[in-house]
Every structure is written in structure tokens, then in C-alpha cells.
Amino acid sequence: MLQFILSSYHMHRVLNLRSLAIAVQVALLALALGLDDYPIEKAQVLIVLTLELVFHIFSLTYYKKRLHAKNWELSLQLLADLGFLSLLLLFTGGATNAFVSLLLLPVAIAAVSVNARWLALISIAAVSSYSLLLFALPSPHMHHGSMQEHYIGMWLNFLFSCAVISLLVGKLAHEVNKRNNSIARFREEQLKQEQVLSLGLASAQVTHQLATPLASIQLLIDELEEEYPNEVLLSQIQEQMQRCSNNLEHFRQLAVDSKEQSIKHISVKELLCELEEHLQLNFSDANISLTLAGDSSPLIASESGLVSAIINLLQNALRASLRNNNSKVDISLISKKESSDKNANPIKHLIIQVQDYGTGFTDERLSELGEAPVESKDGLGLAVFLSHTTIERLGGKLILKNNKDHHGLAEIHIPFI
């Protein structure tokens, strides 16, 4: 309960504020009941308070364990507060009530909590409520010369205050939220780069330590080949050693490129050739199809880590398929045009799809993968994390989802130059 009261979420704050408001309303009602000459309709006020209390208990129960609320949910709560407060004011003096300015409170909360559309709706509702309370005053109040001018002035003052809160406070809140989001993204990116740097240092150290024993093994194999030149087993070992040496050299180049942040421009066809070469060297036994749809001449931003990022996703996809008793993986390169505005120039992307035939991603897994290293049965999720970071550095994005057959699908979107 204490955690709910001290919560920093907008919905919890609104509900906590309403709890306080109900307590104050009950105290004021008890005070008003002791004043015989105070204009109050007791039965109606008790009914409104009862309805407000029931609605509040329901809201507390519903949102007790929900941390995030959508804009329309928060706006509905503020509109309900506005409605209950308007009814209480109607039965306790209307626009002449000293607490009529509290109608601005939901507008102020909305200015820092919801988007512009819902803020405009709540502001209009507050002004309409005050106007109805003003028009509901008895005729002697409205037709009295000096009082009529006074009430019109109060209405104009309320309208001005509501406009200032909606426009000025809403704009300031938007700017603050925008700045906070930028700071949060910067911190997240900085943390991600620090993680990548740590992994790069560890990889460089491992690569350096592997170079010496691999060179020693190569010398031993060369000596054995001189003694047994016709041994088939030695030729197979030599082939695997060559693969290890090639991969080690590739890792060294990756470390250099990562350190220098070197980005080059290659065509889609060149990327396709690099992928074919890697598939032939490292996945000759797997059932992997590689297809290209569209023009192969456009250029994309690339670095040595791009192919590795695709291979990382391929290895994950292959493991997912094998766990489902299948060894098939499809890789498709597609040139696609996208535009959210009919009048705007289409944005051209290269879409690289890596389709596995496993059991797909769970919702929880989809929310974790790519943003940071996560624990998994096959490791720490470093492959997807590094792929995500590399693709973002090239101005692209990585999308993990399930297709219509509930198989896992990884999509890389890279804009053309």
C-alpha cells in the first residue's frame, strides 16, 4: 500500500490525489451540515459522494498492480473527477462556491500527463462545466447588474486560466518530457556502447590468446603431413584449421573496424556475394536458402560487422529450427519502398529476412532480445545484442517477430544510400 502511495506513475498519483480529495470533501460536508444558513442539498451531495467513492474503489482495485495506463484511461479518470466535482458544486452553490476554481485542477494534471488531443477535450469539458454552473444560477443572481458583470468577469478569468494552463503548461511539460526522453536515449546508447566495448576487448583478448596455439597446431599438422602425405584424416584437419584461421583473421578485422568506426558503401550484390561465401564455408551441411528479390545495384552503408550480424541471426535461426527437428532456414534480400505520406518521396530500404522453422518467440522474449545481453539456454543473447547494435550504427533497425505460421522471423531494414 505504501508503495502505491509513493508511486511515481501518473495513474497512481491521480488516484492518490482523489483519495485526498474525497477525504476533504467529506470533512467539508460535515462542516457544512453544521451551518444552517449554508446553501446545500444534502441528499444529492451524499448520492454524488457515494457514487464517487464507489468509482474510486473500483479504480483503485483495477489499477493497483498496473504500472502504466494509456492516455485514454488517464483522461477518463480526469473527466470523471471533473464530473463529480461539477455535480458537488452544483448542489453547493454552483458558480458562487468558493471552490469553483478547483475545476482547473484536472486541466493542470492533464497538461503534464496526457497528449494534446485529450488535454483539449478535458479543457473544453472544464470550460463547459463552469459555463453550465454559471447559467444554472438563479435569475436574481444573474440579472443583478453588478453581479452579472462580476460573474461574466469570473467566467472570462476561468477561460483565460484554462487556456494558459492548456497551452503554456502543456507546452512546457511536452518540452520537459522530450528532453528527458532524449537524455534517457543518450544514457541507453552510452550504456550499450560501453557493453559493446567490453565485449570487444574480451573478444580481442581471446583472439590474441588463440593465435599462438593455432599456429602451433598448424606446425604440428604440417609435420604430420610430411610424414604421412596420403593420410585423408590430416587433410580434413587441415581444412578445419584453415577455417579457424580465416575466422580468426575476420575477427581481427572486426576489431580494427570497430575501433576505427569505418563505414563503407557496398552494393546489394556485393553483400549477397559475401553472404554466399560465408554460407559455403561455414554452413555447407545446413539447408539454407538465399534469395534476392528486386534490384541488386543500390548501395547501402556497411562495415565488416554487418555480415557477422546477419550470420549471428542465421545461427540463432538454425538452432531454433533444429530444436524443432528441422534444419531449414530462409534468407531473403528484398528491395522495398515505404512511405507514410502519399505526397512524400518513397524511402527505399533493403530488407533482409532471416526466417527459421522453430516454435517462434514468446512475448516476453521479444521484449528482451536485442536491447541488452539476456540469459538464454544457448548463451547470453550476445549475438542478437551485437547484431542490434551494429545495425543501429548503420542507420537501420532490427525487428524480431513471429510470422503467420508462428515461426521466428528477424528483419533487418537498412536504407539505401
Side-chain angles (χ1 to χ4, degrees):
M1 185 63 183
L2 180 61
Q3 183 179 3
F4 181 86
I5 294 175
L6 299 178
S7 174
S8 60
Y9 296 98
H10 290 313
M11 179 60 76
H12 293 175
R13 286 178 172 175
V14 169
L15 295 179
N16 291 334
L17 186 60
R18 186 190 295 152
S19 300
L20 178 61
I22 291 176
V24 173
Q25 289 166 6
V26 171
L28 291 176
L29 175 62
L31 180 62
L33 292 176
L35 302 175
D36 297 333
D37 57 343
Y38 191 83
I40 180 173
E41 300 181 30
K42 301 177 183 178
Q44 289 87 337
V45 170
L46 286 173
I47 292 174
V48 173
L49 282 177
T50 302
L51 292 175
E52 183 180 15
L53 185 59
V54 171
F55 178 78
H56 184 53
I57 293 174
F58 172 78
S59 300
L60 285 174
T61 304
Y62 185 75
Y63 290 105
K64 184 177 181 180
K65 295 183 180 180
R66 291 188 60 186
L67 300 181
H68 299 281
K70 298 180 180 178
N71 273 307
W72 70 267
E73 294 177 302
L74 191 57
S75 300
L76 179 63
Q77 294 291 325
L78 294 174
L79 288 171
D81 289 333
L82 197 58
F84 289 128
L85 182 58
S86 300
L87 290 174
L88 289 174
L89 292 171
L90 178 64
F91 299 129
T92 56
T96 63
N97 192 304
F99 295 99
V100 70
S101 59
L102 288 177
L103 290 173
L104 291 172
L105 187 57
V107 180
I109 297 175
V112 298
S113 304
V114 299
N115 56 32
R117 183 179 60 180
W118 286 107
L119 173 59
L121 177 62
I122 294 172
S123 300
I124 293 173
V127 172
S128 301
S129 178
Y130 187 88
S131 301
L132 291 175
L133 290 174
L134 192 61
F135 293 142
L137 288 176
S139 296
H141 288 82
M142 290 302 298
H143 292 90
H144 191 281
S146 59
M147 292 304 297
Q148 185 176 12
E149 294 177 358
H150 175 70
Y151 289 135
I152 292 176
M154 289 176 59
W155 183 84
L156 291 175
N157 178 64
F158 185 89
L159 182 63
F160 176 75
S161 300
C162 191
V164 168
I165 292 175
S166 301
L167 298 177
L168 182 59
V169 178
K171 179 66 174 177
L172 291 175
H174 174 73
E175 292 298 329
V176 170
N177 289 334
K178 185 177 179 181
R179 184 187 63 182
N180 290 338
N181 290 334
S182 298
I183 293 174
R185 285 195 298 269
F186 175 77
R187 289 177 177 174
E188 181 181 351
E189 184 63 26
Q190 187 179 28
L191 177 61
K192 188 180 295 184
Q193 293 302 326
E194 290 176 356
Q195 292 173 329
V196 171
L197 179 60
S198 299
L199 292 172
L201 292 174
S203 300
Q205 184 179 5
V206 171
T207 302
H208 178 72
Q209 291 176 348
L210 284 176
T212 301
L214 284 178
S216 301
I217 295 174
Q218 183 63 54
L219 290 175
L220 294 174
I221 293 175
D222 292 340
E223 292 180 3
L224 288 173
E225 284 184 336
E226 292 179 359
E227 295 184 14
Y228 307 98
N230 299 323
E231 181 61 47
V232 178
L233 183 60
L234 287 176
S235 62
Q236 294 177 351
I237 296 176
Q238 184 70 272
E239 180 181 348
Q240 298 302 318
M241 277 297 302
Q242 187 61 42
R243 287 180 60 182
C244 291
S245 300
N246 293 337
N247 287 331
L248 192 62
E249 184 61 32
H250 178 65
F251 293 151
R252 284 175 175 170
Q253 188 61 41
L254 278 178
V256 172
D257 291 344
S258 299
K259 182 179 180 180
E260 297 178 353
Q261 296 290 315
S262 59
I263 295 179
K264 57 184 179 179
H265 297 161
I266 64 172
S267 67
V268 176
K269 184 176 181 180
E270 290 176 306
L271 177 62
L272 180 67
C273 293
E274 287 188 41
L275 287 175
E276 287 178 341
E277 181 180 351
H278 275 270
L279 293 181
Q280 291 174 358
L281 288 175
N282 301 305
F283 299 93
S284 56
D285 298 334
N287 184 12
I288 300 174
S289 66
L290 178 61
T291 59
L292 171 63
D295 190 5
S296 62
S297 61
L299 299 178
I300 61 171
S302 176
E303 61 177 33
S304 55
L306 176 59
V307 174
S308 297
I310 300 172
I311 296 300
N312 287 338
L313 297 174
L314 170 61
Q315 289 174 333
N316 284 347
L318 184 58
R319 282 195 292 266
S321 295
L322 291 175
R323 285 196 297 269
N324 199 33
N325 298 321
N326 198 325
S327 62
K328 187 177 181 182
V329 175
D330 296 334
I331 305 178
S332 303
L333 278 65
I334 307 169
S335 298
K336 187 175 182 180
K337 296 181 179 180
E338 296 177 346
S339 177
S340 57
D341 187 353
K342 294 182 180 179
N343 298 323
N345 294 325
I347 303 173
K348 297 181 179 179
H349 288 82
L350 171 65
I351 299 181
I352 305 170
Q353 295 182 337
V354 181
Q355 170 71 65
D356 67 49
Y357 288 85
T359 56
F361 301 105
T362 63
D363 293 338
E364 181 181 1
R365 205 63 177 162
L366 286 175
S367 65
E368 295 176 343
L369 284 174
E371 297 300 327
V374 295
E375 293 185 0
S376 68
K377 294 180 180 178
D378 302 309
L380 296 176
L382 296 179
V384 178
F385 169 66
L386 292 173
S387 298
H388 190 276
T389 304
T390 300
I391 294 163
E392 278 191 342
R393 191 162 54 243
L394 297 174
K397 60 181 179 180
L398 172 62
I399 302 174
L400 301 175
K401 59 184 179 180
N402 294 321
N403 65 1
K404 61 181 180 180
D405 296 324
H406 304 290
H407 299 309
L409 175 63
E411 280 190 354
I412 301 173
H413 293 234
I414 302 179
F416 291 144
I417 303 300

